[in-house]
Amino acid sequence: LRGRGGAGFPTGMKWSFVPRNSPKPKYVVANADEGEPGTCKDRLLMENDPHQLIEGMAIAAIAVGAHAGYIYVRGEFRYVIEILDRAISEARARGFLGKNILGSGFDFELYTHSGAGSYECGEESALLESLEGKRGVPRIRPPFPAVVGAFQCPTVLNNVETFSAVPAIIRDGGAAFAALGTPRNGGTRLFCLSGHVNKPGVYELPMGFNLLRMIYEVGGGIPGGKRLKAVIPGGSSCPVLRAEECDIAMDFDSLAKAKSMLGSGGV
């Protein structure tokens, strides 16, 4: 699994950076800020299957030994926070959160935290500043959040889609997940297809799916049969691809080679 928030950093490696023997408490934080124009996947995951996110965060907590977690939600998503709070209450009532989860002896509490609509807080260190009640301004790195994160403690910080992919990997196995994508780019990805296409929407497709196929087969082509001119492949902060560059596999490595980014999947 590579991070679905933008950078595509290997998730397991990121979790392994958390110092196991630190005397400080550890935290798990979900980045649900989703402020990138053209990106609308995390909101759908939280609306339609919040328990998938909760389970993914609980698994991360067990992996690194964290006992508290936060879902940092974009301020405009007020109704999403209500959905998450209800789901957290349901999970707690069933024994999936709180003290002694399912008799395992492991404790994990989860909380929602509302942002205030700052685009900058989608950047992980600015998000942590905001979570602590300070101005959402990026920190100078190093140190990285795995060592000095929330409240100056070791922290796992991943995107909503990243955590949401974890339960399926545990259930079906790593090999099954990897087989859904291309080498080094396993699994499926939610692509937010918008702009001048006949069928805009959020589509789950294998990693490495061809961009032209996405536009013409999945998205139904360009209205009025007009000519393709350019595509933003991963949200508005990603370099634009010219039409002749669009016969490309939509994965982290192929787009990096084309000097752009898969980013947050906002096509």
Side-chain angles (χ1 to χ4, degrees):
L1 176 62
R2 291 175 68 173
R4 301 302 199 233
F9 193 80
T11 304
M13 189 183 293
K14 192 180 208 180
W15 294 6
S16 75
F17 292 155
V18 173
R20 299 293 312 201
N21 52 0
S22 171
K24 294 179 174 179
K26 302 177 186 74
Y27 296 100
V28 174
V29 179
N31 184 344
D33 189 70
E34 193 158 67
E36 185 75 358
T39 309
C40 49
K41 62 187 176 62
D42 295 339
R43 185 187 55 142
L44 284 179
L45 286 169
M46 292 183 288
E47 275 181 28
N48 294 299
D49 198 350
H51 286 283
Q52 184 175 241
L53 169 61
I54 292 167
E55 186 178 0
M57 293 184 73
I59 292 166
I62 291 165
V64 302
H67 300 295
Y70 297 92
I71 306 172
Y72 183 100
V73 186
R74 187 159 192 78
E76 289 90 336
F77 293 167
R78 172 57 48 193
Y79 70 101
V80 175
I81 294 172
E82 291 167 4
I83 291 168
L84 287 169
D85 283 339
R86 193 158 59 243
I88 288 169
S89 296
E90 289 167 358
R92 196 179 289 118
R94 294 286 292 273
F96 301 141
L97 288 176
K99 296 270 184 221
N100 191 23
I101 294 172
L102 300 178
S104 64
F106 188 78
D107 305 339
F108 181 60
E109 268 305 344
L110 193 55
Y111 310 94
T112 53
H113 184 96
S114 172
S118 162
Y119 172 74
E120 192 53 51
C121 287
E123 193 278 329
E124 63 179 21
S125 65
L127 183 153
L128 291 172
E129 288 286 291
S130 175
L131 181 67
E132 293 175 12
K134 297 182 286 214
R135 281 184 66 205
V137 176
R139 297 173 179 174
I140 292 168
R141 292 178 290 186
F144 290 93
V147 180
V148 181
F151 315 108
Q152 312 306 304
C153 295
T155 302
V156 161
L157 201 160
N158 283 110
N159 177 261
V160 166
E161 189 183 356
T162 310
F163 283 124
S164 295
V166 171
I169 296 172
I170 298 294
R171 187 189 65 224
D172 302 330
F177 182 80
L180 292 169
T182 54
R184 296 190 66 247
N185 292 268
T188 59
R189 176 84 213 249
L190 293 179
F191 292 98
C192 317
L193 191 58
S194 64
H196 295 153
V197 284
N198 283 311
K199 293 193 290 183
V202 179
Y203 297 96
E204 184 178 10
L205 299 167
M207 286 282 273
F209 197 85
N210 182 275
L211 178 55
L212 288 179
R213 280 188 66 202
M214 191 185 300
I215 295 165
Y216 289 101
E217 291 179 26
V218 178
I222 297 164
K226 290 191 172 179
R227 186 170 56 86
L228 178 67
K229 293 179 181 174
V231 177
I232 296 170
S236 64
S237 59
C238 299
V240 173
L241 296 175
R242 301 190 308 277
E244 60 269 24
E245 298 174 301
C246 289
D247 187 6
I248 190 170
M250 291 293 280
D251 61 45
F252 294 109
D253 300 330
S254 301
L255 282 165
K257 219 176 279 175
K259 299 193 166 44
S260 188
M261 300 188 299
L262 186 59
S264 55
V267 180

